Structure formats: C-alpha cells, structure tokens
C-alpha cells in the first residue's frame, strides 16, 4: 500500500489563523464591554447613594407655626393708671415635618408675649408628626396684660404680640436611625382692636 510514500503534517492555513485572530478580537471586545458596564454600574450606584444622602438621609428641623386664628373675645381698658387688655382666640398650631422619617417630640409650651412680657403660656403635649406630613393642633388661648405701655397701643388701635416655642424631639429614619431635632416657633402679629382681628402674622 503506497510503500515509500512520505506523509507530512498539515500546515495551518491563513484561513485558520484569521479565525483565531477574529475569535481573540471578539474576546477582547466582550471584555471591554464588561469593563464598561462595570464602570457604568459603579457610577450609577454612586449617583444613587449621593441622591439618597442629599434627600432621604438629610434631616431638617420641622417647622412650627400658627396658621389659623379667630378672636372670640377682646376687651381693653385705657385707664390712665393701669391700662389693660384681655383676649381669647381660637387658634391652630401646625408642625410641618418635611423629613422622610417621623418626628417624635416631648412636652413643650408656646409663650405669647406683649412687648417682651409673657401674657399667656399654652401647653403642648408630647406627640409625633408623621413623615412628610403636617400635624395640626387646635388650641384655645386666653391672655391678659396690664402695662403702662398699653396706653399708647390702645390709643393707636394696635396691640403687638409675639409667640415663641421650642419642641425638642427626634426624627426616626428607616426604623433604626434617630437624629435629634427641634421644631421652633418665632412669630409676630398685631391685634386690631376695632375689628377684633389679627393682622400681619409672620413666622420665621
């Protein structure tokens, strides 16, 4: 059978080499694609964590304000020796919690003052304001004052008042994290004697 014939191994053709180079190029492209996806994922995660930190995890002190009021009784006396006024009004305090966690606060007081002198103290019982919501507290406020300074204010028809308070508490995030915060009130207003009304109510 074909004695004397010599057999030689087949040489790799150019076609085979080209296939191997194409396969290697494909592998490089896949590897590059995976690296690109990995970098994009890391960048995306970083952005998500940054947004989360600047919004959800950022805790602010809730706002404590007077938002509605109605004077039900007002009387004044311009007695030259002891000018005075007494007043009752129905009001509503609001605690606005813009955080993503509930705000739990302890007992506190809202103090009303006439030219720096307290004329009424309203107790606030402990409670909580839910996440991103406003808690409303209805109150009836009685106040009275006797002061020599009232003579000019009664004559002008305007009695200036201020109110201030601080409710200390904690904001609870994600059921585990707690951060101490306080809700503060600092308001000014004017009582119009002729119409038994309040004007220019401003709170900071």
């Amino acid at each position: 059978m074909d004695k004397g014939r010599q057999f030689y191994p087949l040489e790799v053709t150019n076609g085979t080499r080209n296939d191997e180079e194409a396969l290697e190029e494909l592998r490089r492209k896949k590897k590059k694609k995976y690296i690109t996806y990995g970098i994009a994922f890391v960048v995306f995660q970083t952005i998500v964590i940054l947004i989360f930190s600047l919004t959800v995890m950022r805790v602010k002190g809730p706002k404590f304000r007077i938002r509605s009021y109605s004077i039900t009784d007002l009387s004044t006396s311009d007695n030259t020796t002891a000018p005075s006024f007494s007043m009752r009004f129905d009001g509503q305090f609001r605690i606005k919690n813009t955080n993503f966690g509930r705000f739990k606060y302890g007992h506190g007081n809202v103090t009303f003052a006439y030219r720096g002198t307290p004329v009424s103290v309203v107790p606030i019982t402990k409670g909580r304001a839910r996440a991103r919501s406003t808690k409303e507290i209805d109150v009836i406020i009685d106040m009275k004052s006797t002061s020599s300074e009232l003579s000019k204010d009664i004559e002008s028809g305007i009695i200036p008042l201020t109110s201030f308070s601080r409710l200390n508490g904690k904001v609870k995030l994600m059921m585990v994290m707690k951060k101490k915060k306080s809700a503060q009130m600092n308001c000014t207003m004017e009582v119009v004697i002729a119409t038994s009304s309040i004007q220019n109510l401003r709170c900071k």
Side-chain angles (χ1 to χ4, degrees):
M1 294 178 57
D2 297 329
K3 290 183 179 180
R5 289 187 180 183
Q6 294 182 348
F7 293 92
Y8 301 94
L10 293 175
E11 294 182 358
V12 179
T13 62
N14 288 337
T16 304
R17 281 198 296 268
N18 289 339
D19 289 343
E20 291 180 350
E21 290 174 358
L23 184 60
E24 185 63 27
E25 180 65 21
L26 182 61
R27 289 173 180 167
R28 283 198 296 266
K29 287 183 178 180
K30 284 185 176 180
K31 186 176 181 180
K32 186 177 180 181
K33 184 187 294 184
Y34 293 148
I35 292 174
T36 302
Y37 288 161
I39 294 173
F41 179 75
V42 171
V43 171
F44 175 76
Q45 287 291 89
T46 303
I47 293 173
V48 169
I49 292 172
L50 182 61
I51 294 174
F52 186 78
S53 300
L54 293 176
T55 55
V56 177
M57 300 302 292
R58 187 179 180 184
V59 179
K60 297 180 179 179
K63 295 180 179 180
F64 191 19
R65 303 287 188 265
I66 302 174
R67 281 306 178 210
S68 64
Y69 44 83
S70 175
I71 295 177
T72 57
D73 183 47
L74 173 64
S75 63
T76 60
S77 172
D78 57 357
N79 187 304
T80 55
T81 57
S84 63
F85 84 91
S86 64
M87 180 176 70
R88 165 175 284 193
F89 75 87
D90 298 331
Q92 185 181 84
F93 300 147
R94 294 184 183 180
I95 302 172
K96 185 177 181 180
N97 180 23
T98 59
N99 298 298
F100 284 87
R102 70 184 183 189
F103 173 61
K104 189 175 181 179
Y105 56 90
H107 295 285
N109 294 307
V110 176
T111 301
F112 287 82
Y114 165 72
R115 297 196 178 280
T117 302
V119 294
S120 182
V121 177
V122 183
I124 303 296
T125 58
K126 64 180 181 179
R128 66 185 63 183
R130 291 179 298 176
R132 301 188 66 77
S133 67
T134 300
K135 182 179 178 64
E136 299 175 345
I137 304 172
D138 295 321
V139 292
I140 297 176
I141 304 165
D142 291 305
M143 60 182 72
K144 59 176 60 179
S145 177
T146 300
S147 171
S148 58
E149 294 181 289
L150 271 169
S151 182
K152 291 182 179 180
D153 290 328
I154 292 174
E155 185 178 349
S156 70
I158 300 292
I159 299 175
L161 296 174
T162 58
S163 67
F164 53 90
S165 180
R166 180 187 181 97
L167 296 178
N168 295 317
K170 294 180 180 179
V171 175
K172 189 173 184 179
L173 296 171
M174 302 177 67
M175 304 302 291
V176 290
M177 296 179 60
K178 293 182 179 180
K179 293 191 176 183
K180 292 183 178 181
K181 287 293 175 180
S182 61
Q184 299 185 52
M185 175 189 292
N186 186 5
C187 301
T188 59
M189 66 200 82
E190 296 175 340
V191 176
V192 182
I193 297 173
T195 58
S196 293
S197 61
I198 295 176
Q199 66 179 16
N200 296 330
L201 172 62
R202 296 185 177 91
C203 295
K204 297 180 181 178

